[in-house]
Amino acid sequence: MTTRLGILGFGAIGQTVVKSLLSNDVGLDLIGFADQDLIEDAPIPQETVSSLIKSCDVIVESAGHAAVKEHAVPILESGTDLMIVSVGALADRSLEKKVLSAQPGQLIICTGALAGVDYLQAALNLGGIRKISLTSTKKPKVLIQSWMEEALRQKLERGDCKMTVFKGNARESAEAFPKSTNGAATIALAVGNWETVEVEVVADPEADQTKHVVEIVGDVGRSKFEVANLPSVSNPATSSILSLIHI
């Protein structure tokens, strides 16, 4: 039986997912998409979320934290499986508890632009992780946030120097950068602890690629791995590879 798939969110990621699925025969029945805005001339039908729940086996979320908060639990409780991209939404303790316990649908966490998540889980199972950190480096302008002081916002706008703009744990980084630190959230869920994951966000005007460096110390030994992805043309805050990980 062919799996029926729906897309929640038709922004840069959602559109790329749909385009890729329509261009490649991967054995999926693409039912349609839901979005808070009316999309004209879309290549597949625009549906309501309720309609997707009724007609899909799996829904892929690419609509942001607010969409996860509003729709994740109802989707899962309906029996429909849900893959979420906006993993940082689960930094909200209350939401995390509700989503992780929602049944009978299966929750699928998108690993995002990171690699080695299976390694992290294996390291945890081996006996424990004493230290784990993620350093993410991006272009300055994509890191500008409304909570920042004006002086910092102006520095990032000028983008003329390399600087650290954030240090904290995974939960804090997901709340501070809701559109660009889902990788930290993925690591936190993989190791089962948001506060243990140390996160540093670096703005670098010379960063032609979005770089993530993960370091881990534990019973597995000491490991360090790095990925450097080209940023998405339509959404520079995220990596170009992210939308293709769903497929």
Side-chain angles (χ1 to χ4, degrees):
M1 182 177 177
T2 303
T3 299
R4 300 168 300 170
L5 182 73
I7 308 295
L8 177 56
F10 204 63
I13 294 175
Q15 291 179 36
T16 304
V17 171
V18 169
K19 181 179 179 180
S20 297
L21 290 174
L22 292 176
S23 301
N24 300 278
D25 184 7
V26 293
L28 296 173
D29 185 4
L30 190 54
I31 300 298
F33 73 94
D35 195 276
Q36 63 181 358
D37 298 322
L38 179 62
I39 308 297
E40 297 182 355
D41 300 322
I44 60 174
Q46 181 165 5
E47 310 280 356
T48 64
V49 176
S50 297
S51 177
L52 288 183
I53 289 175
K54 292 177 182 178
S55 56
C56 294
D57 302 305
V58 182
I59 293 177
V60 175
E61 173 278 320
S62 59
H65 290 199
V68 174
K69 184 175 183 178
E70 182 177 358
H71 300 297
V73 172
I75 290 172
L76 292 167
E77 288 183 343
S78 76
T80 300
D81 295 342
L82 173 66
M83 172 184 280
I84 64 171
V85 175
S86 307
V87 187
L90 301 184
D92 181 320
R93 291 180 174 86
S94 175
L95 180 62
E96 178 189 16
K97 183 178 180 180
K98 292 176 183 177
V99 172
L100 294 183
S101 62
Q103 295 178 347
Q106 179 184 359
L107 176 66
I108 305 164
I109 301 295
C110 178
T111 57
L114 292 176
V117 175
D118 52 347
Y119 180 92
L120 298 179
Q121 293 174 325
L124 181 67
N125 293 333
L126 183 63
I129 295 174
R130 291 188 291 277
K131 180 180 179 180
I132 183 167
S133 65
L134 169 67
T135 302
S136 294
T137 304
K138 299 189 176 188
K139 287 281 191 181
K141 287 187 178 182
V142 304
L143 294 173
I144 295 174
Q145 303 293 321
S146 59
W147 53 262
M148 292 177 172
E149 295 181 356
E150 185 61 26
L152 177 55
R153 289 171 60 87
Q154 289 181 0
K155 285 184 180 180
L156 293 175
E157 190 68 42
R158 290 196 303 271
D160 53 7
C161 65
K162 182 177 180 179
M163 60 185 296
T164 295
V165 297
F166 174 87
K167 280 188 176 183
N169 62 43
R171 194 181 302 278
E172 293 166 340
S173 71
E175 293 170 346
F177 299 91
K179 294 184 177 181
S180 57
T181 56
N182 286 312
T186 300
I187 292 174
L189 291 171
V191 302
N193 193 316
W194 291 79
E195 281 68 33
T196 297
V197 182
E198 302 172 3
V199 180
E200 181 175 0
V201 178
V202 177
D204 184 358
E206 302 299 321
D208 293 329
Q209 298 174 320
T210 297
K211 184 169 70 174
H212 301 289
V213 179
V214 179
E215 297 186 68
I216 177 175
V217 178
D219 292 349
V220 70
R222 182 184 298 271
S223 304
K224 179 179 180 179
F225 49 94
E226 173 183 324
V227 292
N229 302 306
L230 290 172
S232 167
V233 175
S234 54
N235 181 14
T238 191
S239 298
S240 58
I241 195 173
L242 180 59
S243 58
L244 300 177
I245 293 173
H246 306 63
I247 302 170

